[in-house]
Amino acid sequence: MKKILLPLFLCSIVSSCVATKGKDGEPGKPGTSSVNNTPDSSAKPKFNENLATKLGADKYGMKAYTIVMLTTGPTKIEDKAKMGNLMKGHLSNIGKLADEGKIIVAGPFLEKNKENYRGMFIFNTKSKEEAELWVKTDPAVQAGVFSYEIFPWYGSAALPMYLEHHKEISKENP
């Protein structure tokens, strides 16, 4: 009988400790992660109406953007110095558009693809016409090194928020 009671007793102690969920052993209240003292990931964050309004979010926290896919253009430039200057202008223009809040995401693709896409922009506008005006300010587009295709897109309204932190994590700009 003692052989049966001891394992049952140990199991009940272990299960009561495991079943406790919450901060400081208080059942029913969200706990915090011991790793970084953040709220339990199962707890739903509180809706922030001011932030949603500021970001232009709909009831799902989403909004319309415009994606521009850069493709290889008809112009081939063999002069490395000239091409280098065009790429410096391309990157400078991206930075300017980002500082103005017009461009949310920009970057090259890391491998060739069947669509011949070279890179992409996500513009903070639902207007294809406005996005086209902005992409045409790119010196590499103006020179014909890049062409482009434009697509409407629906994504998280919080997407622009990552830009404020990007400068904190980059040691150099390309």
Side-chain angles (χ1 to χ4, degrees):
M1 183 76 163
K2 287 182 183 179
K3 290 181 181 179
I4 293 174
L5 288 178
L6 182 60
L8 284 174
F9 177 71
L10 290 174
C11 285
S12 68
I13 290 174
V14 170
S15 66
S16 69
C17 291
V18 172
T20 301
K21 181 177 180 174
K23 186 176 181 183
D24 300 325
E26 297 173 14
K29 294 183 180 177
T32 57
S33 165
S34 61
V35 175
N36 58 9
N37 202 30
T38 58
D40 183 351
S41 62
S42 65
K44 185 176 183 206
K46 185 179 176 195
F47 174 70
N48 184 333
E49 187 169 351
N50 290 335
L51 182 59
T53 301
K54 175 184 167 191
L55 294 172
D58 63 15
K59 67 181 179 179
Y60 305 109
M62 309 280 278
K63 70 181 257 183
Y65 296 96
T66 302
I67 291 183
V68 173
M69 302 298 283
L70 295 175
T71 59
T72 301
T75 304
K76 306 287 183 234
I77 297 180
E78 302 296 330
D79 182 333
K80 289 186 182 205
K82 186 174 181 180
M83 188 63 174
N85 284 335
L86 274 175
M87 289 298 103
K88 282 182 185 175
H90 169 72
L91 294 173
S92 176
N93 191 61
I94 290 170
K96 176 182 155 295
L97 292 170
D99 289 345
E100 293 171 354
K102 295 175 180 175
I103 202 164
I104 304 302
V105 174
F109 291 106
L110 297 176
E111 58 186 41
K112 292 187 180 220
N113 54 74
K114 66 181 181 181
E115 291 81 12
N116 208 23
Y117 293 141
R118 301 281 302 277
M120 68 175 272
F121 300 146
I122 298 179
F123 283 114
N124 196 9
T125 181
K126 65 181 178 180
S127 166
K128 290 171 72 174
E129 295 78 18
E130 190 168 38
E132 186 165 29
L133 289 174
W134 296 343
V135 77
K136 285 182 174 181
T137 64
D138 189 308
V141 170
Q142 292 171 359
V145 172
F146 294 135
S147 292
Y148 55 88
E149 295 179 46
I150 299 177
F151 303 94
W153 186 67
Y154 185 63
S156 172
L159 191 58
M161 293 181 67
Y162 93 90
L163 285 173
E164 68 187 70
H165 299 289
H166 181 74
K167 291 178 182 172
E168 296 173 44
I169 62 169
S170 61
K171 289 182 182 179
E172 295 180 21
N173 286 323

